[in-house]
Structure formats: C-alpha cells, structure tokens
Amino acid sequence: MNIITIDGPAAAGKGTIALSLSHLINFYYFNTGNIFRYIAKTIIDEGLMYEFLINKNHFNLNKINQNVVFLKEIPDLVEKSILIDEKLLRTQEISDSSSIIAEIPQVREILNKAMRKFIYDMLGSNKVVGCIVDGRDTGSVLFPNAGCKIFITAERSVRTQRRFEQIRSTFTEDFQEEIKKKRVHDSLVLRDSRDGSRKRDPMIIVKDTIVIDTSKISQEETIEQILAIIRIKLPDLSKDYRKTVNFI
Ligand SMILES: Nc1ncnc2c1ncn2[C@@H]1O[C@H](COP(=O)(O)OP(=O)(O)OP(=O)(O)O)[C@@H](O)[C@H]1O
Ligand SMILES: Nc1ccn([C@@H]2O[C@H](COP(=O)(O)O)[C@@H](O)[C@H]2O)c(=O)n1
C-alpha cells in the first residue's frame, strides 16, 4: 500500500520531514495531530475544557455538536481541520489539551474512522500516487498495512530546543505566548508520557518499523535516509519514479 507512516514523540521533526518528503516524491501529506488539535481548539473555544477535564471519561461529545457537528459530519471535520490556519492550532494550550483529549477511547474511535476514510478516498480517487501520514499511532493502529513505517525520534533536550526555537521563530506577536524553555520542556515530558502510556492506541514502535534518531543529523540527512528506506520498502514506486531526480 502506498502509505508511508511517520510516528514519533513531540517535536521530533515528523511534520517537517513528512512535508518535505511529500514534495519530493509527490505524495499527499496528512498530519493526524492536527485533527486532535482541532478538536482541542473547538472544546476550548466552546468554553468546555474545564467540564471535559473534570468529567473526562463521561464527557458528552454531543455537547459540542452545535458548532462543529462533531458526530454527524465527521468527514467535514477532517476537511475543517485541514483548512484552518495551522498557526491557530500550534499554541501551547492546544498542544497540552490535545494530548488529554487523545486519551479518550471514544474520541480516537471516531477520529480514526474518519481519518482512514479520508486517506482511502484520497488514494481511491487516483488524484495522488500515495500518502504520507504522521502522528503517534499511524503505523501501529491507523494504517497497520502501510508499505513503509518510520519512527522518528530525538533526545528530549534536542526536541525541547527545537520546539523552543520553532515557537520563537514561527509565531507573530499576535500569537506569541510568554515562552519559557522550562514550560516547553515540561509540556514535552507530559505529552510524551500521556502519549506513551494511554490505554487506547499508545505511541509504540511496531516490529516492521524503522527507527531514525535525528538528534545528531540534519533534516537533509534524515530525508536521505528515509528515501533509501522507501526505495527498498516501496520498490514499485521507485520504478514509477525512476525519472524523478530526487528519488533515484
Ligand atoms: N534533524 C532535524 N530533523 C527534523 N526536524 C528538525 C531537525 N532539526 C531541527 N528540526 C526542527 O525541529 C522543529 C520541530 O519539528 P516538527 O514540528 O516537524 O516536529 P513534530 O515531530 O511534527 O512535532 P509535533 O508532534 O509536536 O507536531 C522544526 O522547527 C524543525 O525545523
Ligand atoms: N495519531 C495521533 C496524532 C496525534 N495525537 C495526539 O495529538 C497531540 C498533538 O499531536 P502533534 O503531532 O500535532 O503534536 C499529540 O500529543 C497526541 O496526544 C494522537 O494521539 N495520535
């Protein structure tokens, strides 16, 4: 199956690498984390986060139905999360909240179904050669039959530094929160812990996955390594793309 999954902990570089790679091999790129972030933003915007926190396992998802038609129009939800300005989803508050929301089995069930359908429809439409999907459980749960599974990681201190610099450089003053490295670090620790220990679909490395530690290598080197893996894992694709300079 022409699906490449890239999983890994927060700020490991999944999104950056997946996006560059998608341009190089002409795959559609889908960031599953943005879906969880979009739900978190909606719950926060509706003023329901407190209620969600104190009532986590019994939170009535229909409560946010009025504005996002959460349960009725799931495909719409995926579309909406794609269309939204990504900067709005990248605040510290949303990062933290999304991993809390992602612990709820009902949320995962609904979103997994919608995301799978979206990607299969995309592949079935023949508009794209393949899809790159990144997240935490894309190789283990979402697309266990993916042709190529990568797990990108990096030491926590490296990830903290990368995220800190990313926030500082990306956000305009309007979105700028008071950024403290300790806050960024603490948030990563918490998210890693929640994502790795939740009962439903935790972040794990399944056996047919190739792990790349990017702590000491550049983005370019990481991409080179992944292209080499793709050549082996998706040989038919490399045949189709023999003429594509970057892929040979
Ligand atoms: N060798 C590297 N590989 C990947 N990203 C790197 C590397 N060096 C620096 N970065 C930077 O690290 C930052 C974090 O990357 P990115 O946002 O892609 O992480 P992520 O794993 O998708 O995070 P999250 O899961 O929290 O969304 C980016 O600013 C990226 O440019
Ligand atoms: N497949 C996924 C993707 C994401 N999550 C949760 O969403 C949070 C935000 O994701 P980012 O990739 O944008 O950082 C993340 O911390 C996870 O809790 C998930 O559970 N499964």
Side-chain angles (χ1 to χ4, degrees), residues 1 15 24 32-33 45 60 67 89 95 102 133 142 146 171 175 201 232 242-243:
M1 210 191 313
L24 287 174
T32 64
D45 289 353
N60 181 3
N67 290 328
L89 300 176
S95 295
V133 190
L142 213 49
F171 286 87
F175 295 108
D201 311 343
I232 296 165
R242 224 169 270 286
K243 291 199 185 80

Side-chain angles (χ1 to χ4, degrees), residues 7 10 14 31-34 36-37 90 95 98-100 102 108 115 134-138 142 163 191 195 198 201:
D7 290 310
K14 306 177 294 295
N31 179 335
T32 64
N34 277 353
F36 290 90
R37 286 174 183 271
R90 299 259 138 211
S95 295
S98 58
S99 75
I100 297 172
R108 303 202 72 84
M115 292 191 284
D134 81 327
R136 300 294 183 290
D137 61 344
T138 62
L142 213 49
R163 180 50 40 90
R191 279 215 287 153
D195 291 343
R198 65 175 166 246
D201 311 343

Side-chain angles (χ1 to χ4, degrees), residues 149-164:
K149 299 182 189 179
I150 311 279
F151 190 95
I152 292 186
T153 189
E155 284 158 24
R156 190 173 280 147
S157 58
V158 175
R159 291 189 283 122
T160 301
Q161 185 62 29
R162 285 179 184 169
R163 180 50 40 90
F164 181 67

